[in-house]
Amino acid sequence: MAIIERVFSGVQPTGNLHLGNYLGALVNFVKLQATHNCIYCVVDLHAITVPVSVWGGPDELRRNTREVTAAFIASGIDPKKQIIFNQSQVAEHAELAWVFNCVARLGWLNRMTQFKEKAGKDRENASIGLYDYPVLMASDILVYRATHVPVGEDQKQHLELARDIAQKFNNDFSESIAAHSKSSEGFFPLPEPVITGPATRVMSLRDGTKKMSKSDPSDYSRINLTDDADAIAQKIRKAKTDPEPLPSEEKGLETRAEADNLVGIYAALADKPKSEILSEFGGAQFSGFKSNLVDLAVAKLSPIAAEMKRLTADAAYVDSVLADGAARARAVASETMSAVKDIVGFIHRK
Ligand code: TRP
């Protein structure tokens, strides 16, 4: 099986999708369609690694899964050309994860910083699934032998683990792989992160040093993907700034977190470098800049909000997109899994 370039990424169905998710992930997912075959997955198996009180239970999970799917489509991912599906519909993710559990080492997982953060002090009470999260993530990617993974900075360590697992599998079973594929190439590619565009890190509108987050108690801290034009305008007008006019060069933003964030958001929405935005607005007061930002944000985001509203009201259509995507994903995943069974030595029906 030759290695072909393929993009895979996953988004957790945790609800309250916001501008940070859009500019940090979705915009890049949309762009990658022009050059790659892309598989975009709503990772519901990952969602249940935290306590049920946190992920919200079955109705909430269904709602959030459909909301992320709607956001994919509303942002411009074409569900006919690419694959959009939810993870639990393709059993091979969990099946390959078991094999990878036997390849990955305890020491590797013990180094994962996200587990330490999420488990907090009460580690004895964290689920085994939370500990194993990065192994399932490796299996998400490698079951499609994906080569490129658009992710944020915070997922880089997990991607390194995926490479380590791929490498160790290729080494542990090198003879069997050679016999199976009659080539000396490793079976799994080593997937690379695609680190993303200008405003990867969108910060809170109330505090430019904190990431925009779905769990911030203040709704004014974030622009939700479902916010209508009035809400978007209000939140931008109320966004924290400082009394100085905008600088005309990027280094003038270094100690001004809120100004930096708003310029970054403008640049990302306009798909232009920050320097270009500053050469236009340098010396201007925030009030004028904010009016322009409101116009731009409303023009870009309110059609997405409207489309999401339409799609989330049509669960039957959204579910049909997921079912169709899952069938196409399964066709690829089952091929990998069948080869893995041969390579490991599991007898199976062909
Ligand atoms: N861990 C990722 C996140 O929280 C989500 C994810 C799950 C993922 N599986 C993946 C991302 C595979 C990329 C590839 O953002």
Side-chain angles (χ1 to χ4, degrees), residues 96 100 133-143 158 161-163 165:
L96 182 59
F100 284 174
Y133 182 117
V135 175
L136 179 60
M137 180 166 159
S139 136
D140 295 340
I141 300 163
L142 294 169
V143 83
H158 287 161
L161 184 90
R163 282 203 296 277
I165 290 174

Side-chain angles (χ1 to χ4, degrees), residues 73-152:
I73 301 167
S75 301
I77 296 165
D78 182 341
K80 293 230 159 63
K81 294 210 179 96
Q82 316 302 333
I83 293 178
I84 296 176
F85 75 109
N86 59 311
Q87 192 183 23
S88 62
Q89 291 209 62
V90 180
E92 283 81 0
H93 289 244
E95 200 177 5
L96 182 59
W98 182 260
V99 175
F100 284 174
N101 278 336
C102 303
V103 172
R105 308 287 90 182
L106 221 49
W108 300 358
L109 287 186
N110 286 339
R111 285 195 283 276
M112 294 295 114
T113 55
Q114 187 171 296
F115 172 76
K116 293 180 199 169
E117 276 161 31
K118 286 200 186 177
K121 286 201 179 70
D122 193 8
R123 207 179 286 193
E124 294 283 304
N125 199 32
S127 74
I128 306 282
L130 187 67
Y131 186 71
D132 204 31
Y133 182 117
V135 175
L136 179 60
M137 180 166 159
S139 136
D140 295 340
I141 300 163
L142 294 169
V143 83
Y144 303 102
R145 278 159 292 139
T147 52
H148 293 81
V149 184
V151 282

Side-chain angles (χ1 to χ4, degrees), residues 18-62:
H18 54 70
L19 186 64
N21 303 112
Y22 179 66
L23 294 177
L26 297 177
V27 167
N28 299 291
F29 291 6
V30 172
K31 277 191 189 155
L32 284 163
Q33 296 183 99
T35 47
H36 290 78
N37 289 319
C38 305
I39 304 178
Y40 296 125
C41 182
V42 187
V43 292
D44 49 8
L45 299 175
H46 279 110
I48 66 165
T49 56
V50 292
V52 62
S53 59
V54 175
W55 58 265
D59 290 336
E60 186 85 0
L61 185 59
R62 273 185 283 267

Side-chain angles (χ1 to χ4, degrees), residues 281-345:
F281 290 99
Q285 297 298 327
F286 272 105
S287 53
F289 174 73
K290 277 184 171 180
S291 299
N292 282 277
L293 181 55
V294 166
D295 291 347
L296 176 62
V298 167
K300 291 273 174 180
L301 301 175
S302 67
I304 296 176
E307 180 68 354
M308 277 184 70
K309 203 166 170 194
R310 196 182 68 77
L311 289 166
T312 46
D314 191 353
Y317 169 73
V318 172
D319 293 2
S320 77
V321 166
L322 292 173
D324 172 69
R328 285 151 59 216
R330 210 174 289 127
V332 181
S334 64
E335 214 186 300
T336 303
M337 204 53 223
S338 165
V340 166
K341 286 178 178 173
D342 287 337
I343 288 165
V344 174

Side-chain angles (χ1 to χ4, degrees), residues 148-339:
H148 293 81
V149 184
V151 282
E153 208 49 47
D154 64 329
Q155 295 298 312
K156 267 179 139 178
Q157 194 187 32
H158 287 161
L159 213 58
E160 265 164 45
L161 184 90
R163 282 203 296 277
D164 289 342
I165 290 174
Q167 184 79 261
K168 187 166 194 303
F169 182 95
N170 290 346
N171 289 343
D172 285 358
F173 297 101
S174 59
E175 280 174 29
S176 180
I177 289 168
H180 180 268
S181 64
K182 297 170 189 65
S183 106
S184 56
E185 235 181 326
F187 178 71
F188 285 118
L190 307 186
E192 285 174 31
V194 183
I195 299 289
T196 43
T200 348
R201 271 167 73 76
V202 177
M203 311 308 279
S204 158
L205 299 180
R206 309 258 76 211
D207 176 352
T209 64
K210 279 201 317 207
K211 254 174 99 166
M212 187 174 283
S213 157
K214 67 164 193 104
S215 48
D216 193 311
S218 167
D219 199 49
Y220 277 93
S221 70
R222 68 184 155 261
I223 295 175
N224 301 303
L225 277 191
T226 49
D227 282 347
D228 61 17
D230 284 346
I232 295 170
Q234 247 190 31
K235 287 174 180 183
I236 291 175
R237 291 212 182 89
K238 285 203 181 221
K240 189 175 169 203
T241 52
D242 57 47
E244 303 295 316
L246 284 154
S248 43
E249 281 176 38
E250 263 190 271
K251 64 176 183 335
L253 292 171
E254 272 165 18
T255 54
R256 300 172 65 186
E258 283 79 21
D260 189 23
N261 188 37
L262 292 180
V263 172
I265 290 171
Y266 194 112
L269 286 171
D271 199 14
K272 286 179 182 166
K274 278 196 221 175
S275 57
E276 207 171 304
I277 309 309
L278 291 177
S279 61
E280 189 177 337
F281 290 99
Q285 297 298 327
F286 272 105
S287 53
F289 174 73
K290 277 184 171 180
S291 299
N292 282 277
L293 181 55
V294 166
D295 291 347
L296 176 62
V298 167
K300 291 273 174 180
L301 301 175
S302 67
I304 296 176
E307 180 68 354
M308 277 184 70
K309 203 166 170 194
R310 196 182 68 77
L311 289 166
T312 46
D314 191 353
Y317 169 73
V318 172
D319 293 2
S320 77
V321 166
L322 292 173
D324 172 69
R328 285 151 59 216
R330 210 174 289 127
V332 181
S334 64
E335 214 186 300
T336 303
M337 204 53 223
S338 165

